[in-house]
């Protein structure tokens, strides 16, 4: 058959497939009737009667039923008929075996549902594009893996100062437009103009005036920001998210166009974003407000990031012009970056310092920009959750393997029990292909029904995972309802699962010799399905052991993290994050406002101690600063390449958090802006930088040796955990909030000014910390309603929040391990029951010859437990290998922990023993005479 004939035949068959079957049959019947009528007319013309002509035409035409079947086969309908009959037969068999069907469907629903749930999250978090127009056209400058916010060279640039962004915007014609936005949101206090109640906390993001144009977003109400709004003298304007408008203001249409007060500054709300738009980053804390970049200068006078060319705090994202090649654009923007750095770092900033200028000249050629596709926006959430999602996908795949092995075992047992029926059918003419097809059709039906039920399981599981992963978030832009890709995944995995677990049972069923079952062959343990069944048990046992060991390691790791001594007293401690508007409180007013706040908090009944600081413990946000020690050589970075941590604090800070003093004194009310500049360090700092010395009375400073005498060390406090719990104790120094130095570098000087503003409050209270949240809010509002409480939590909850991801992964792994254990036990029980039923004659003979019940039970247990023991032998090295792969997820636990490995093996063995004991005990209760008569 030539290629043209083959294509014509293919088109014809495809056309037949889409033609309605009833119409095809009607057309065929009409054509056959016309043929018979023509033959009958020919016979009548020869003189035959009408009756004789009709019978003669029918004889000449032939068997109409056989002819119809031949035509169906020729036109491509026969295989559809066969497939339909196979599925109808499979449905009848499943309906006649409700117990088997229920167990198999639930087993598959759990396995398919677990995988679909994880795929739902992967699709939403890692694969879904932003809900904007033509998201595939977006490209970012930088890979955005490092949310850099600060000065200096980055090598792989991902964030940019405002001046650098403007330079790239104006000198890169390959982009039709290039927008910028802040690397993260800021907390803002906002209220309606004219209201005197306390400002409410909102999350805001600074964006360029062309932000919404680049993303291709239209307003739901009003208008969105335009380039004119980003001009220096433009009236302050903001855009609100649909979610904030609906949740906070009840979708009040009068709000658009009204004046709001943001950090004490009147601004006009010009529009509302569409409901589906959550911003440029998939985050549990998306922006409530979008503000022009120029508003950052209004809200932070004297300390604006906008005015400092070396403060890199903006992402850049845009759309390439048609025909522009990302590789060529990458080379172009890298050259622009290096040229800009030469003009600013060397020519302007360091021209007076030849040594520094030479160092930067040497490092500038290493700086580059990667142009990346950005259809999914900023990848922070994807990067943070990638490892956890991959681990969960592997775990859910193991559960599916166990579910498939379990269902295959049940199908094998069921198929072997019906070998006589299959033999009879084959003796009557059924082909092996038909038997194979029917068995596989039954398996596919089970998988499809299990997949349909698994969609419900996946929605519930995905929703639970989101709630556990983002337990404090009020809104997470992750949809757990099945999307088209998720439905497609569920369909594909259901079909593949059905084919996978039914393949071997179908093959064994099709190999039955018609005479063997009729002679009784196969009633012994040597039937052909015994080895596949045992192989499935080995697979289930090995996979279950891997999951149990993984769950044990992750749970032990979580316990080690949670039971660490953090050097803090979590009982009765309340933490709050606040915003003291810099535009309303210049540094000269801070001492007065802190005194007023301290007084108001002291008046709250039950507050035993209060303090302020730039950062709360174990909440992130602490600055890492290079230091210089007076009289010592330059201090290198710590072993992980990071400088020690700095925290600015008020009096009573250590008392409030329960951190004991080791030597010297703590900071108190006498450490004001006008007093001697002093510092307190922790034991880790003393050990790292003053080994074998007494640091009390020594001096150090931030940045260069010129400032090495700025602060005198007056005290040492016990170590406490202030940063990421996985990092361990980190050298930390504490400076008074109001004591700062002046620096020649404007960016560093601005940073010192900013550290004088307290961002957090700590309270030591008598009672439940949650009961003091509203009194704290009211006390701050009495001082000034523009001082906003952003959020509050107890220190206990803050510590627990550090382990959210570890807790989520540990809980889900444990859940999957228990599920695997149950499935493996059910599978073993089913196979053991089947083996007992197949060995009724043998057991009867043994008992008739004198075997007691104990020996029969032992015999059956040995047969059932052999695959489990072999599964343990296979599973132990597999579990050790898996533990080494997941070593990065562990803390304080060795990947080859023998106790966890032994415990997992013992639990699996015990469950298997219980599952096998029940059918073994039942088989030992058989009456020997009844067993012998069954032959």
């Amino acid at each position: 058959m030539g290629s043209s004939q083959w294509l014509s035949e293919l088109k014809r068959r495809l056309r037949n497939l889409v033609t309605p079957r009833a119409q095809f049959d009607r057309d065929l019947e009409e054509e056959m009737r016309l043929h018979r009528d023509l033959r009958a007319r020919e016979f009548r013309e020869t003189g035959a009667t009408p009756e004789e002509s009709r019978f003669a035409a029918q004889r000449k035409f032939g068997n109409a039923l056989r002819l119809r079947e031949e035509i169906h086969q020729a036109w491509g309908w026969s295989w559809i008929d066969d497939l339909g009959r196979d599925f109808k037969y499979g449905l009848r068999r499943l309906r006649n075996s409700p117990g088997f069907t229920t167990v198999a469907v639930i087993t598959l629903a759990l396995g398919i549902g677990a995988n679909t749930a994880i795929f739902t999250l992967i699709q939403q978090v890692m694969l879904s594009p932003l809900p904007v127009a033509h998201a595939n056209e977006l490209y970012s400058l930088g890979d955005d893996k490092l949310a850099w916010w600060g000065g200096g060279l980055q090598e792989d640039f991902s964030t940019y100062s405002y001046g650098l962004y403007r330079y790239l915007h104006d000198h890169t014609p390959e982009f039709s437009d290039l927008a910028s936005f802040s690397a993260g949101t800021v907390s803002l206090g906002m209220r309606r103009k004219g209201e005197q109640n306390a400002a409410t906390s909102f999350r805001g993001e600074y964006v360029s005036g062309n932000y919404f144009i680049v993303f291709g977003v239209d307003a739901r109400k009003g208008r969105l920001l335009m380039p004119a709004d980003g001009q220096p003298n433009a009236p302050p304007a903001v855009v609100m998210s649909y979610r904030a408008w609906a949740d906070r203001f009840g979708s009040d249409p009068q709000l658009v166009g009204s004046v709001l007060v943001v950090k004490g500054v009147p601004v006009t709300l010009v529009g509302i974003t569409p409901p589906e738009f959550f911003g440029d980053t998939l985050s549990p804390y998306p922006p409530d407000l979008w503000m022009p970049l120029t508003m950052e200068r209004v809200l932070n006078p004297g300390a604006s990031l906008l005015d400092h060319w070396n403060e890199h705090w903006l992402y850049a994202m845009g759309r390439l012009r048609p025909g522009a090649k990302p590789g060529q654009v990458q080379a172009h923007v890298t050259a622009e970056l290096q040229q800009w750095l030469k003009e600013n770092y060397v020519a302007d900033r360091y021209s007076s310092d030849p040594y520094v200028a030479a160092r930067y000249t040497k490092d500038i050629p290493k700086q580059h920009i990667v142009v990346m596709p950005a259809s999914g926006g900023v990848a922070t959430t994807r990067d943070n959750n990638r490892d956890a999602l991959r681990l969960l996908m592997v775990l859910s795949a193991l559960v599916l393997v166990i579910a498939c092995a379990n269902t295959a075992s049940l199908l094998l047992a069921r198929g072997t029990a019906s070998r006589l029926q299959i033999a009879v059918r084959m003796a009557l003419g059924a082909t092996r292909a038909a038997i194979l097809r029917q068995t596989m059709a039954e398996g596919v039906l089970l998988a499809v029904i299990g997949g349909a039920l698994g969609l419900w399981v996946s929605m519930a599981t995905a929703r639970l995972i989101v709630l556990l992963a983002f337990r404090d978030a009020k809104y997470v832009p992750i949809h757990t309802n099945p999307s088209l890709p998720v439905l497609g995944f569920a369909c594909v995995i259901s079909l593949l699962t059905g084919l996978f677990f039914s393949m071997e049972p179908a093959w064994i069923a099709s190999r039955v010799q018609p005479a063997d079952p009729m002679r009784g062959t196969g009633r012994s343990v040597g039937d052909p399905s015994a080895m596949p069944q045992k192989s499935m048990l080995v697979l289930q046992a090995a996979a279950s052991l891997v999951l149990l060991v993984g769950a044990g390691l992750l749970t032990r790791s979580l316990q080690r993290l949670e039971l660490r001594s953090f050097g803090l007293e979590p009982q009765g401690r309340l933490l709050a994050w606040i915003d003291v508007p810099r535009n309303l409180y210049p540094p000269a007013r801070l001492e007065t406002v802190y005194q007023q706040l301290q007084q108001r908090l002291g008046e709250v009944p039950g507050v035993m101690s209060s303090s302020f600081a730039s950062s709360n413990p174990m909440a992130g946000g602490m600055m890492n600063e290079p230091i210089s020690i007076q009289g010592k050589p330059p201090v290198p970075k710590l072993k992980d390449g990071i400088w020690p941590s700095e925290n600015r604090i008020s009096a009573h800070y250590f008392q409030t958090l329960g951190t004991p003093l080791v030597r010297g004194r703590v900071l108190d009310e006498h450490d004001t802006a006008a007093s001697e500049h002093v510092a307190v360090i922790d034991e880790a700092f003393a050990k790292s930088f003053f080994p074998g010395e007494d640091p009390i009375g020594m001096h150090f400073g931030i940045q260069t040796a010129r400032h090495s005498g700025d602060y005198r060390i007056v005290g040492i406090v016990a170590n406490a955990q202030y940063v990421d719990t996985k990092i361990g104790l980190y050298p930390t120094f504490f400076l008074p909030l109001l004591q700062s130095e002046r620096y020649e570098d404007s960016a560093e000087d601005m940073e010192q000014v900013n550290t004088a503003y307290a961002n957090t409050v700590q309270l030591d209270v008598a009672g439940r910390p949650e009961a003091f949240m509203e009194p704290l809010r009211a006390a701050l509002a009495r001082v000034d309603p523009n001082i906003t409480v952003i959020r509050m939590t107890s220190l206990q909850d803050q510590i627990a929040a550090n382990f959210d991801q570890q807790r989520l992964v540990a809980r889900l792994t444990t859940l999957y391990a228990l599920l695997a254990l149950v499935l493996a036990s059910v599978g073993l029980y089913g196979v053991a029951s089947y083996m007992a039923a197949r060995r009724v004659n043998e057991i009867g003979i043994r008992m008739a010859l004198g075997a007691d019940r104990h020996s029969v039970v032992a015999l059956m247990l040995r047969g059932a437990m052999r695959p489990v023991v072999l599964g343990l032998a296979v599973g132990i090295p597999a579990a050790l290998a898996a533990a080494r792969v997941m070593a990065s997820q562990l803390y304080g636990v060795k990947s080859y922990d023998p106790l966890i490995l032994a415990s997992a093996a013992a639990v699996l063995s015990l469950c298997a023993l219980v599952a096998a004991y029940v059918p073994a005990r039942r088989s030992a209760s058989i009456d020997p005479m009844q067993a012998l008569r069954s032959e």
Side-chain angles (χ1 to χ4, degrees), residues 828-829 832 857 861 864 911-923:
L828 180 62
Y829 174 83
V857 170
L861 286 179
C911 291
L913 191 62
V914 172
Y917 177 74
V918 176
R921 187 173 182 274
R922 188 168 57 240
S923 65

Side-chain angles (χ1 to χ4, degrees), residues 666-724:
V666 295
L667 304 179
D668 56 32
E669 292 85 350
H670 299 96
D671 297 311
T672 64
S675 65
E676 179 190 14
H677 288 196
V678 295
V680 169
I681 62 175
D682 65 3
E683 293 176 298
F685 189 97
K687 181 179 179 181
S688 297
F689 302 110
F690 299 97
E693 301 179 79
D694 183 5
I696 300 294
M698 293 191 175
H699 290 76
F700 75 97
I702 299 172
Q703 294 292 339
T704 63
R706 186 179 301 177
H707 290 274
S708 61
D710 287 348
Y711 297 97
R712 182 171 67 90
I713 299 174
V714 296
I716 303 174
V717 294
N719 288 328
Q721 189 76 48
Y722 292 102
V723 292
D724 188 345

